[in-house]
Amino acid sequence: MTAEENQARFLRCIGEPTRLQILKLLTKGERCVGELARVLNKEQSLISHHLKALKKCNIVKDRQETQKVYYEITNDRLAKLIIDSEVLMKELSLCKCQEMNYGREENQGSGEEEIRSNS
Amino acid sequence: MTAEENQARFLRCIGEPTRLQILKLLTKGERCVGELARVLNKEQSLISHHLKALKKCNIVKDRQETQKVYYEITNDRLAKLIIDSEVLMKELSLCKCQEMNYGREENQGSGEEEIRSNS
DNA sequence: TTCATATATGAATTACAATTCATATAAACA
DNA sequence: TGTTTATATGAATTGTAATTCATATATGAA
């Protein structure tokens, strides 16, 4: 495993839309699997699979409390890197590639909806 | 195209071993396609494909000089992000995942061999 | 114009990753 | 114990990306 292969693996692990959504939620604090699935409106098994991938790369760690399993980002510098890359991408207009979406700003499903409202 | 999709696309564009190798070479200055292929010991067409992908995401830009086409990173902050992620990955031992390689440090083909030695 | 050099491109193949679905495990509780 | 809730897992499918190969394009030189 070369240095670049490891780094690439790490970047690709972060570079998946659903995992980015998960990570952005986790930058604000730990969340359990069910919450993540509910907020992001995705299947629980899908979230579990993604969390497993993130954990495998040491990007998140988990903590069990009764039935629930809470996940959080392993290190604040990681959270910062994710935000930095987002800022950079926006400021430099990177990846406006792949046709369309010039000047528009959509934001559906980005994780800012209600939570902790039921139960 | 959501914000996360764009960011993910950007991160995955960087997150490929050969493209990382290319980018690391380019952090030290512009290079033409042939040089990159020679130094990395990969097919010229492969390098061209990867450069096209990077260009599509505005990560690199090109400049033609006679027959040769020179590529460079579009922005220094991008180069910094790449280095930052490398440092972070190493310091946090991220992505030691995927079995094996604990404690070893390989470095074959990472782009530090001779260049400009022929011609 | 013909040849050599440099780069790009498209099609085909292969490899890998995301998603879904069904189900397993395990804790809490009635 | 049986039931509900929460999470994990494996197999199957699908989608996407990397690589190779053959070839096109374009520039410069003989």
Side-chain angles (χ1 to χ4, degrees):
Chain A
M1 193 70 50
T2 68
E4 278 79 18
E5 277 169 339
N6 265 326
Q7 186 178 0
R9 196 189 303 282
F10 162 60
L11 290 167
R12 262 176 299 151
C13 192
I14 292 179
E16 200 284 326
T18 302
R19 287 198 287 269
L20 269 178
Q21 288 184 306
I22 291 172
L23 289 169
K24 283 180 188 176
L25 283 171
L26 296 185
T27 57
K28 295 179 232 154
E30 66 173 17
R31 291 284 174 95
C32 70
V33 182
E35 279 180 325
L36 292 169
R38 238 176 296 120
V39 173
L40 299 178
N41 194 32
K42 309 239 159 140
E43 287 205 10
Q44 173 269 316
S45 66
L46 179 62
I47 301 298
S48 271
H49 280 301
H50 281 308
L51 287 169
K52 188 181 185 182
L54 289 168
K55 190 181 170 187
K56 192 171 171 190
C57 279
N58 296 314
I59 293 166
V60 301
K61 61 184 175 188
D62 60 343
R63 168 181 81 80
Q64 181 150 11
E65 185 180 307
T66 70
Q67 296 152 289
K68 297 187 178 179
V69 179
Y70 288 88
Y71 283 82
E72 67 178 337
I73 297 180
T74 52
N75 190 296
D76 285 342
R77 290 166 66 197
L78 255 169
K80 185 176 179 306
L81 184 78
I82 292 162
I83 303 303
D84 283 354
S85 75
E86 186 183 9
V87 169
L88 193 61
M89 185 206 62
K90 285 182 177 169
E91 290 188 13
L92 302 185
S93 294
L94 302 171
C95 272
K96 281 263 174 60
C97 51
Q98 214 78 343
E99 78 291 322
M100 57 189 130
N101 126 281
Y102 289 92
R104 304 187 244 134
E105 230 354 69
E106 308 170 42
N107 218 31
Q108 45 107 299
S110 64
E112 226 44 35
E113 34 283 273
E114 47 61 49
I115 183 62
R116 302 186 210 287
S117 50
N118 58 348
S119 95
Chain B
M1 192 71 50
T2 69
E4 278 79 18
E5 279 169 338
N6 265 326
Q7 188 179 359
R9 194 188 304 282
F10 163 59
L11 289 168
R12 262 176 300 152
C13 192
I14 293 178
E16 200 283 328
T18 302
R19 286 197 288 268
L20 270 179
Q21 290 184 306
I22 291 173
L23 288 170
K24 284 179 187 176
L25 283 172
L26 295 186
T27 57
K28 295 179 233 152
E30 67 173 14
R31 290 283 175 97
C32 70
V33 182
E35 278 180 326
L36 292 168
R38 237 175 296 122
V39 174
L40 300 177
N41 193 31
K42 311 240 159 141
E43 287 205 11
Q44 172 268 317
S45 65
L46 179 62
I47 301 298
S48 270
H49 280 302
H50 282 307
L51 286 169
K52 187 181 184 181
L54 290 168
K55 190 180 170 187
K56 192 171 169 188
C57 279
N58 295 315
I59 293 167
V60 301
K61 62 183 174 187
D62 60 343
R63 167 182 81 79
Q64 181 150 13
E65 184 181 309
T66 69
Q67 295 151 290
K68 296 187 177 178
V69 179
Y70 288 87
Y71 283 82
E72 67 179 337
I73 297 180
T74 53
N75 191 297
D76 286 343
R77 290 165 67 196
L78 255 169
K80 185 175 179 310
L81 185 78
I82 292 162
I83 303 303
D84 283 354
S85 74
E86 186 183 9
V87 169
L88 193 62
M89 184 207 64
K90 285 182 176 170
E91 290 187 12
L92 302 184
S93 294
L94 302 170
C95 272
K96 280 267 175 57
C97 51
Q98 214 80 341
E99 81 288 326
M100 56 189 129
N101 126 280
Y102 289 91
R104 304 187 244 133
E105 225 2 64
E106 308 169 42
N107 217 31
Q108 45 105 298
S110 63
E112 225 46 32
E113 35 282 272
E114 45 62 47
I115 181 63
R116 302 187 209 285
S117 51
N118 57 349
S119 94

